[in-house]
Amino acid sequence: MTKFSLFLSVLSVSSLLFPSNGWSADRSQQRNLIPLPAELTWQEGELPIDSNFMVALEGRKDSSLEGAVQRWLDRLAKRTGVRVSKMIQASPEQAKFVIQCEGEGKAPSVLQDESYSLAVTTLQARLSAPNPLGILRGLETLMQLVRSHGKRHMLPCVTIQDRPRFRWRGLLIDVARHWQPVEVIKRNLDGMAAVKMNVLHWHLTDDQGFRIESRKFPKLQEHGSDGKYYTQLQVQELLAYAQERGIRVIPEFDMPGHVTSWLVGHPELASAPGPYQIERTFGIKDPTFDPTREEVYQFIEAFLGEMAKLFPDEYLHIGGDEVNGKQWNQNSKIQEFIHEHNLKDNHDLQAYFNSRLSQILTKQGKKMVGWDEILHPQLPKNIVVQSWRGPVALAHAAKTGYDGILSSGYYLDHIRTAAFHYNVDPIPSNSDLTAEQRAHILGGEAAMWSEYVTSETIDSRIWPRTIAIAERFWSPASIQAVVDMYRRLEVESIRLEEFGLTHRSNYATMLQRLAGKYTVESLKVLADVVEPVKLYARESAHHYTSETPLNRLVDAARPESDTARLFRNAVDQFLKDAPRVGRSQEVQFVLTRWRNNDKKLRPILEQSELVAEAAPLSRDLSTAAKLGLEAVKFLKSGQPASVSWQDEGRRILDRAQEPRADVEIAVIPGIRKLVLAASQLEKLKGLPAADWNRELDSQVEASKRKLEK
């Protein structure tokens, strides 16, 4: 381990010193559970896991439950090396682990009970639940409890009563814009199950691709997919895989907009004459279904009837978002239809279309899910509104009697931090909803839109941040401590790679590819401190298509720089000692490394066209780090910096904070805080450390907002 890695490890461990939510400050009592259970009481002692660790099943038994237990035992063996040779059906007093399932297994549904009880004593662990779904959730908690000390493995003694806060805890995976093979979906289903998520929202169609086989209308996938689609046999395989893990699968067939890939094979459905071709660029496109023609509804009914038989869940998603109406406005027959049916505008026309869809779905035994735009008084109350507009729009739907789920604030492609997502709540603390209205908020979904991900990078965009979202959906609203969340998230992030997830391992692979024949260390130093640009900045910086290789530094870089977060924590601790400034070594060490890295990185920058665009970033990191070291020197001496130094420092940092190569240097706010402290030393000396930090944080945020404008 390098000194720098050791430094970051020390900082990670140091977060244990800040207990929260009643957890003990004693490190031996810290437990790495995420999501945190609803009710938890630690006891003294532990239960050994060894060759005598037999499992007994009580109550109702079925093959799915036995399969789940066997998968759990296989994971236990992989993690500990302990192979449990027996799973007994009777004599639970002989077993070290007793599983009691009271009810029979059914396909997961939105109303199904997921609660469980878990008690671990020095003699036995007992897991009980009303049905196999609760058992699945409890098994994941038990797996997180497993601890190892050398060759010894054990479970800490604990009592848990657990249940989810929200019934709908989903992850949307867009496979239309960039195709994702079966193995990608499977490993992410495993990750979802590990953190108790229960809905895979499968975005199967969009302008860039039609990704599922239709046997009734084979032109859909033959002309609209570039040959990249799931056969119905593969769909059935994935549905079974998901059900075994207690996950519902809801397909999305986006309409009446985002339908270009449908129209390549069936231009007769469109509101304007074809021909059409698969879209290679992203954004809102003009092609839409013609809502005025009966032939369109006949086609949709036949197609959805086929899909309804394939997908067992009671809900089916019809999209309904981002219809710009251009084709409708330019079609005289559609405009006549609007006039003849006393419709006010395109919104009313889409409501008419959605009402017809709802009737079709009802005939198929399905309920409609759609984005905010579908909300309209014409639609029945059994639909579900998925809100990308935010908690206010979601609350409005609830007040008018509609069920809803929140996705605003959980868009993973926006490249926000885990803390940002963690602080978003489907029912904010200031909500004025009544208890009856709150019941309409079913939960939420993280959304992985795939404009800028491939099968190589998608895991790193989903995980580990989705772990934080999973806790927000499952755990009590009172669980809020961000520092402790990060500590537990890091542990679970490592564990998730047991399923073959690549959010950690592919980082090194991609960096080495960029480094070519050179060692990767200097490139990693830079990559560790940058983050991809946020929100939709990437689409305005370069021209991207679905065929653009996603193999640059921005694609390798993690959505959230742990190095930047930990450096900011170290700066905060350093400044808390002011004016004595006793904890400077950690900060100086890492700043020195960044200052010196540009020279080491130059051979890679000069030989790789893909990395050459990062040269200005590398230079600015070096210059900013040098400035940070000077700030530390001023702070340690107690002498304020000159006005000219302050002005030059501001200019250096403003330039360094500007995004280049579709990334931004995430450690600049931490360095800026040091420079501001050195610039205002006399003013800040009289303030308590907490006030000092708050004042500086406020100035750092103000600088960031100014630059963003």
Side-chain angles (χ1 to χ4, degrees), residues 338-616:
I338 291 175
H339 178 72
E340 291 171 358
H341 288 75
N342 296 317
L343 303 177
K344 291 184 295 185
D345 50 25
N346 287 338
H347 181 63
D348 274 7
L349 180 60
Q350 187 172 350
Y352 170 84
F353 175 82
N354 288 338
S355 180
R356 296 289 301 271
L357 275 189
S358 179
Q359 295 169 25
I360 290 171
L361 290 172
T362 298
K363 286 175 62 177
Q364 303 295 341
K366 301 294 184 183
K367 298 174 184 176
M368 178 190 292
V369 188
W371 297 97
D372 280 303
E373 290 92 332
I374 74 165
L375 186 60
H376 196 280
Q378 289 184 11
L379 291 179
K381 297 296 185 182
N382 68 349
I383 69 168
V384 173
V385 178
Q386 183 166 6
S387 181
W388 62 267
R389 291 175 175 165
V392 174
L394 186 64
H396 171 70
K399 288 176 180 178
T400 52
Y402 290 95
D403 287 346
I405 54 178
L406 183 67
S407 280
S408 173
Y410 303 127
Y411 271 35
L412 300 171
D413 59 310
H414 284 185
I415 316 295
R416 299 286 200 175
T417 65
F420 174 88
H421 297 307
Y422 194 64
N423 288 325
V424 175
D425 198 293
I427 306 178
S429 58
N430 61 353
S431 173
D432 63 351
L433 295 178
T434 66
E436 181 180 358
Q437 292 166 347
R438 286 171 181 247
H440 285 298
I441 309 297
L442 303 181
E445 286 185 359
M448 183 65 261
W449 300 109
S450 68
E451 285 92 337
Y452 305 110
V453 296
T454 64
S455 58
E456 181 177 47
T457 61
I458 189 170
D459 293 359
S460 71
R461 274 37 182 170
I462 296 175
W463 309 104
R465 294 175 299 153
T466 296
I467 301 171
I469 299 173
E471 175 156 285
R472 180 55 57 233
F473 292 162
W474 179 280
S475 301
S478 59
I479 304 298
Q480 296 285 342
V482 171
V483 171
D484 189 60
M485 177 275 291
Y486 272 114
R487 180 187 64 77
R488 293 178 288 116
L489 177 145
E490 176 63 18
V491 175
E492 184 62 17
S493 176
I494 295 170
R495 291 191 288 222
L496 285 182
E497 290 221 335
E498 294 176 3
F499 299 115
L501 286 163
T502 62
H503 57 292
R504 298 170 68 90
S505 58
N506 273 2
Y507 181 59
T509 301
M510 295 183 73
L511 291 181
Q512 187 60 68
R513 186 168 63 222
L514 290 169
K517 64 181 181 180
Y518 295 95
T519 58
V520 78
E521 183 180 10
S522 60
L523 180 58
K524 184 176 183 299
V525 169
L526 178 63
D528 281 349
V529 302
V530 300
E531 295 174 353
V533 289
K534 314 302 180 191
L535 301 175
Y536 300 107
R538 189 167 178 178
E539 67 186 33
S540 61
H542 286 84
H543 177 68
Y544 287 94
T545 74
S546 57
E547 297 175 327
T548 302
L550 299 177
N551 58 354
R552 297 158 55 216
L553 177 63
V554 61
D555 303 300
R558 291 160 171 161
E560 179 174 6
S561 167
D562 289 335
T563 300
R565 177 172 55 84
L566 296 172
F567 173 68
R568 184 67 175 265
N569 291 345
V571 169
D572 289 349
Q573 290 301 309
F574 166 50
L575 293 177
K576 279 183 180 179
D577 290 338
R580 296 181 301 278
V581 193
R583 298 184 60 176
S584 61
Q585 289 185 341
E586 293 174 346
V587 173
Q588 285 178 296
F589 180 88
V590 70
L591 286 170
T592 301
R593 186 176 178 89
W594 294 337
R595 182 196 62 189
N596 297 339
N597 193 66
D598 182 56
K599 183 177 180 181
K600 298 177 181 179
L601 184 56
R602 283 178 192 171
I604 296 177
L605 297 172
E606 291 169 358
Q607 65 87 35
S608 172
E609 185 176 347
L610 285 175
V611 188
E613 63 179 351

Side-chain angles (χ1 to χ4, degrees), residues 36 40 81 84 94-95 104 113-114 153 176 189 318 338 359 372 399 455 473 502 514 579 599 616 660 664 680 697 709:
L36 281 175
L40 177 149
V84 177
Q94 301 176 17
E104 61 183 345
D113 189 350
E114 297 178 83
H153 312 285
L189 284 167
I318 57 87
I338 291 175
Q359 295 169 25
D372 280 303
K399 288 176 180 178
S455 58
F473 292 162
T502 62
L514 290 169
K599 183 177 180 181
R660 265 93 23 103
E664 54 192 32
Q680 304 171 44
D697 286 336
K709 289 180 180 179

Side-chain angles (χ1 to χ4, degrees), residues 665-684:
I665 305 175
V667 296
I668 296 302
I671 297 175
R672 189 184 294 275
K673 189 171 183 179
L674 287 171
V675 172
L676 287 169
S679 302
Q680 304 171 44
L681 188 57
E682 290 298 325
K683 172 185 172 183
L684 298 171

Side-chain angles (χ1 to χ4, degrees), residues 108-172:
S109 76
V110 72
L111 295 175
Q112 201 164 355
D113 189 350
E114 297 178 83
S115 65
Y116 66 91
S117 300
L118 177 63
V120 180
T121 70
T122 56
L123 299 176
Q124 191 179 70
R126 177 172 286 271
L127 171 62
S128 60
N131 54 55
L133 190 57
I135 296 296
L136 287 175
R137 307 304 179 227
L139 286 172
E140 295 300 340
T141 298
L142 195 67
M143 182 59 70
Q144 289 187 355
L145 284 169
V146 173
R147 291 187 292 134
S148 300
H149 293 301
K151 296 182 179 180
R152 294 177 58 246
H153 312 285
M154 70 287 298
L155 293 166
C157 294
V158 67
T159 301
I160 292 173
Q161 298 287 333
D162 202 9
R163 69 202 70 84
R165 182 180 171 213
F166 292 108
R167 293 178 278 163
W168 194 303
R169 308 178 306 281
L171 171 64
L172 179 157

